Amino acid sequence: MTHSAKRILSIGCVILLLSGTVSSCKKRNTGNSRDASAVAEQQIRNTLDDFFAYIKVAKTDKISARSDDPAPLEEYLREVTETSGTKPFETSCRRVDAEVVSVTSSGEEGSAEVKVSYADPQTIKEKAALAGGFADIGKLSESISTAPVVTKEFKLDMHHVDGSWKITSRSTREILEVLFGYLTETDLIAEIPETTTEPVTMNISVFDAYWVNEKGEEIGGYYCSEKNICLYVYTWNTYTNVDIKYEYLDASGSILYTNSFFMKNNTDWIACAWKPEKALPEGDIYCRLYEPSGEEFHTSKVTIFNEGEMIPFPITWTEDSGWLDKDGNPVEYYTEDTTLFAYRGSSLKPYQGLSLKYRFVDDEGQVLYEGKMDLEQETETFMFSMELPEGYTLYPEESAETTKETSGKTSATEETTAPTELPEPKHITLIVETEDGQPFLQSTVEIRKADAVYTPDETAPGTPDGTAPGTPGETTLGTPGET
């Protein structure tokens, strides 16, 4: 099985970006006319687009093939991955973004000015030095994924050879050394400590986890009668001869099933399989994984549905999903004077070709807005917004009370009434479904009185993953932030 990061990248990134693949087959550039120069410059841009697109998905052979001398560059990239590991290289590749600023050509020669952003190598090396080296390639990868971005401009020399434009090997080597040269330094990862007889915490880090049916296809839940339940878990690192214990629990924390999975030779995936002997109750169940030391390192949740219900679309929402104000800043709740409501969902993986329908409803189920979304291009971000309908009031009882008070007459001797109780907050719920009605996303947000102070309810019972159910603003479909 391929590495987990490659599996994620391959879902959506198999690359419609590669515009140069066709363009490079056009008739070679000859002459110095304005039209010939324009064609040549466009072909150069196509080559550069291909080059950086292949960097993004860590295709070392394709990266090297965009140079006029591929062999030494492919050898250099092999050195990078052998020194620090494939996963840090792939993580570093994903952090690269490029913009072609300008292109020029003359006959068989050309050049391009390119602005490139990437994870700051200096920050990563400084962290490694302070720690005496990262514990493993997983920790190195995490540092790369969170390092600040730096930007540098490069001049890349181009050469027209064998009917297509190539980047000169000198220019290619120069930019690859800037982007990935730090990964050839052997002190980024600490020396492996001597093994002991006592089990030690391995600090297993999970890259991805998702639920599958008996065919190994990702799903968004199971029916009560399901006979095969399985969670696939992918780790940043590979492991040899490591026994992973896993257990299934219900929402109250009671253990339903326990087993283990043995990670053999350089394994980076775990299958937590369970064949229930009887029908499962409706609701959430959890799968929890433990290192050999007994240290828990991952928990995932899945919902069990009654027969005939529609199982949600299998999608994992990341932790930065949520409601936004008019300036695009995250909010935990809105106030009664808000008219624009927006929700941004960020998925772990990219999606394309989906047709979605969505609606915003109030506490009484009244539909405030309906819309549709067709995902023609690959995306990991889903935006849903609405403006309150004209004339709709979130707290209509307030305007009624105000009218009553101003129309009545109060005598000077009439006693002041006691302050009224704080009204319960209102809510707006976003409901998103696929075209055939499969639940895709649902999230509810509070609407509070502008001058009110609400005390959160801290008595709500917890769940096995340590969270309280029913939290306002929480996304309730899919598997938000569990990986």
Side-chain angles (χ1 to χ4, degrees):
M1 179 171 292
T2 59
H3 204 281
S4 57
K6 290 182 178 177
R7 184 189 65 76
I8 294 225
L9 288 170
S10 66
I11 293 177
C13 299
V14 183
I15 293 184
L16 296 175
L17 301 174
L18 308 183
S19 56
T21 305
V22 175
S23 300
S24 61
C25 298
K26 295 180 181 178
K27 183 177 179 181
R28 66 179 293 176
N29 173 39
T30 58
N32 292 314
S33 70
R34 180 177 300 177
D35 289 345
S37 295
V39 171
E41 290 171 8
Q42 182 58 52
Q43 291 177 346
I44 289 173
R45 287 181 179 273
N46 292 340
T47 296
L48 294 172
D49 286 345
D50 288 355
F51 177 69
F52 286 106
Y54 283 126
I55 285 179
K56 197 76 173 176
V57 294
K59 290 288 186 181
T60 56
D61 56 336
K62 301 294 186 181
I63 296 170
S64 304
R66 268 51 198 173
S67 169
D68 60 4
D69 190 9
L73 298 172
E74 194 164 351
E75 178 62 29
Y76 174 71
L77 292 175
R78 188 178 299 112
E79 176 191 353
V80 170
T81 55
E82 287 178 354
T83 303
S84 293
T86 301
K87 183 54 60 183
F89 172 66
E90 292 173 347
T91 305
S92 188
C93 286
R94 287 197 299 272
R95 298 296 308 278
V96 175
D97 289 297
E99 174 189 356
V100 179
V101 178
S102 63
V103 173
T104 59
S105 68
S106 178
E108 305 296 320
E109 306 301 323
S111 66
E113 296 287 341
V114 182
K115 185 183 294 184
V116 183
S117 300
Y118 52 96
D120 182 14
Q122 190 60 35
T123 299
I124 298 164
K125 290 192 292 184
E126 288 175 357
K127 286 185 177 180
L130 288 173
F134 294 107
D136 50 40
I137 62 174
K139 295 299 181 183
L140 172 56
S141 299
E142 290 176 9
S143 179
I144 296 171
S145 67
T146 57
V149 170
V150 294
T151 301
K152 182 177 179 179
E153 291 195 5
F154 296 85
K155 179 183 179 183
L156 303 181
D157 295 323
M158 311 293 296
H159 184 58
H160 195 264
V161 57
D162 295 332
S164 61
W165 285 94
K166 303 286 187 179
I167 311 170
T168 64
S169 58
R170 181 191 62 78
S171 291
T172 312
R173 179 63 179 254
E174 176 188 351
I175 194 169
L176 292 181
E177 286 182 345
V178 172
L179 298 179
F180 310 117
Y182 71 100
L183 292 174
T184 62
E185 300 181 13
T186 56
D187 56 355
L188 288 179
I189 300 176
E191 294 183 5
I192 300 176
E194 294 183 5
T195 57
T196 63
T197 56
E198 294 294 326
V200 296
T201 301
M202 305 177 70
N203 296 316
I204 296 176
S205 181
V206 173
F207 176 75
D208 189 16
Y210 60 95
W211 299 87
V212 298
N213 58 20
E214 69 277 4
K215 298 179 181 178
E217 300 166 339
E218 186 175 2
I219 58 174
Y222 298 97
Y223 288 118
C224 294
S225 60
E226 182 62 54
K227 301 301 182 184
N228 295 282
I229 292 178
C230 186
L231 173 71
Y232 280 169
V233 177
Y234 291 86
T235 59
W236 279 98
N237 297 332
T238 59
Y239 298 91
T240 299
N241 297 332
V242 174
D243 195 45
I244 301 298
K245 175 187 173 183
Y246 64 89
E247 59 187 16
Y248 280 87
L249 308 93
D250 61 19
S252 66
S254 299
I255 297 176
L256 304 174
Y257 178 74
T258 300
N259 206 334
S260 64
F261 181 87
F262 191 66
M263 303 180 76
K264 296 182 180 178
N265 186 32
N266 292 324
T267 302
D268 66 350
W269 63 280
I270 304 164
C272 303
W274 175 30
K275 293 181 178 293
E277 297 179 353
K278 59 182 180 180
L280 295 170
E282 178 187 8
D284 294 333
I285 62 172
Y286 301 78
C287 184
R288 184 172 289 169
L289 287 76
Y290 300 89
E291 295 188 1
S293 65
E295 186 79 15
E296 175 196 342
F297 67 91
H298 182 74
T299 296
S300 279
K301 178 183 73 175
V302 70
T303 302
I304 307 300
F305 295 87
N306 284 327
E307 306 298 326
E309 289 187 73
M310 185 77 78
I311 290 180
F313 185 88
I315 186 170
T316 298
W317 301 105
T318 59
E319 292 180 354
D320 58 343
S321 301
W323 295 86
L324 309 174
D325 64 17
K326 59 183 179 61
D327 298 318
N329 300 313
V331 296
E332 295 182 2
Y333 61 88
Y334 295 101
T335 54
E336 60 183 309
D337 55 353
T338 304
T339 58
L340 178 63
F341 297 81
Y343 185 92
R344 178 184 62 207
S346 299
S347 62
L348 183 64
K349 307 166 193 174
Y351 294 87
Q352 184 179 10
L354 288 174
S355 293
L356 303 175
K357 53 185 179 180
Y358 63 95
R359 62 188 182 275
F360 292 84
V361 301
D362 62 15
D363 289 327
E364 285 70 42
Q366 179 181 349
V367 177
L368 307 178
Y369 182 80
E370 290 183 285
K372 292 185 177 180
M373 177 186 295
D374 292 318
L375 301 182
E376 298 178 353
Q377 296 182 343
E378 183 179 281
T379 184
E380 299 171 4
T381 302
F382 301 80
M383 286 292 301
F384 307 95
S385 62
M386 74 147 183
E387 289 191 14
L388 282 181
E390 186 175 354
Y392 180 85
T393 304
L394 288 164
Y395 284 87
E397 69 277 7
E398 179 183 9
S399 59
E401 291 173 0
T402 302
T403 302
K404 180 178 179 181
E405 289 174 2
T406 55
S407 62
K409 295 182 179 179
T410 305
S411 85
T413 59
E414 187 175 338
E415 295 183 359
T416 305
T417 59
T420 58
E421 292 186 4
L422 192 66
E424 289 293 326
K426 304 293 185 179
H427 303 86
I428 285 182
T429 300
L430 168 65
I431 302 172
V432 187
E433 300 171 335
T434 62
E435 194 172 31
D436 60 0
Q438 189 177 19
F440 185 83
L441 166 69
Q442 181 169 318
S443 186
T444 299
V445 67
E446 281 189 4
I447 318 297
R448 300 181 178 181
K449 298 284 287 183
D451 56 351
V453 177
Y454 292 86
T455 303
D457 181 7
E458 299 179 353
T459 63
T463 54
D465 63 351
T467 62
T471 304
E474 178 185 6
T475 303
T476 56
L477 296 181
T479 50
E482 292 176 358
T483 59

